[in-house]
């Protein structure tokens, strides 16, 4: 099972509601994501428009997947910025991967501003048949 946490999400929502901000430089807006199960894997998609692929960092430690990305300013220093509404800085999300997921075989792909992670379900978590011996002929049951 895939679980996510972002303890600051509600704080970000309240800040946006009261101050009309898209985030702050100290804590930019969160990375929107979708997560769903497709067959024997979970697929997680993060929206990261304008982020260079080399600024994305993925780490897994103790079943916690951390996604970090940085969106740098698109304008040079010394220019006079008139409007700056797009969030910049370092974005980070953490996903807690359950024991039933194979954290060693996560695949990542980045295309058109979307980071897609494919997390396979561990072999030991997949349904399997168990043979029963004794008492005449062997039978199988689903486990």
């Amino acid at each position: 099972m895939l679980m996510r946490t972002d303890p600051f999400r509600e704080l970000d929502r309240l800040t946006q509601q009261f101050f009309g901000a898209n985030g702050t430089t100290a804590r930019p807006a969160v990375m929107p994501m979708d997560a769903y199960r497709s067959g024997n894997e979970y697929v997680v998609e993060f929206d990261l428009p304008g982020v260079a692929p080399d600024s994305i960092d993925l780490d897994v430690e103790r079943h916690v997947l951390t996604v970090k990305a940085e969106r740098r300013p698109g304008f040079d220093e010394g220019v006079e910025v008139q409007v700056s509404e797009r969030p910049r800085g370092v974005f980070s999300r953490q996903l807690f991967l359950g024991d039933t997921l194979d954290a060693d075989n996560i695949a990542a792909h980045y295309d058109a501003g979307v980071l897609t992670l494919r997390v396979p379900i561990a072999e030991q978590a997949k349904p399997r048949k168990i043979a029963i011996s004794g008492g005449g002929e062997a039978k199988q049951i689903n486990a």
Side-chain angles (χ1 to χ4, degrees):
M1 165 171 282
L2 181 70
M3 298 173 282
R4 71 179 170 91
T5 183
D6 188 351
F8 299 103
R9 183 174 216 145
E10 186 65 17
L11 181 61
D12 286 341
R13 188 189 66 75
L14 289 172
T15 301
Q16 289 175 10
Q17 182 178 355
F18 288 116
F19 299 111
N22 285 337
T24 65
T25 54
R27 173 103 178 127
V30 298
M31 288 183 235
M33 81 170 197
D34 290 333
Y36 55 91
R37 183 174 177 166
S38 176
N40 285 325
E41 66 183 2
Y42 280 93
V43 179
V44 185
E45 298 172 328
F46 295 94
D47 282 348
L48 295 171
V51 173
D54 62 344
S55 74
I56 300 172
D57 186 35
L58 299 172
D59 289 315
V60 177
E61 183 177 345
R62 295 186 186 149
H63 292 288
V64 177
L65 171 69
T66 302
V67 180
K68 286 185 185 177
E70 181 178 5
R71 183 179 298 126
R72 297 177 185 99
F75 40 83
D76 297 327
E77 281 191 41
V79 300
E80 186 178 330
V81 178
Q82 300 300 312
V83 177
S84 179
E85 295 179 343
R86 297 171 48 208
R88 290 170 181 79
V90 177
F91 301 84
S92 180
R93 287 292 290 263
Q94 287 188 321
L95 299 176
F96 292 92
L97 306 176
D99 293 335
T100 60
L101 300 178
D102 187 356
D104 294 330
N105 291 307
I106 296 173
H109 180 73
Y110 184 69
D111 186 39
V114 177
L115 174 65
T116 303
L117 304 179
R118 297 188 176 278
V119 186
I121 295 175
E123 285 298 321
Q124 65 269 19
K126 292 180 183 175
R128 61 190 182 280
K129 294 200 179 265
I130 299 172
I132 300 172
S133 61
E137 62 186 77
K139 296 187 180 195
Q140 290 186 350
I141 60 170
N142 290 329

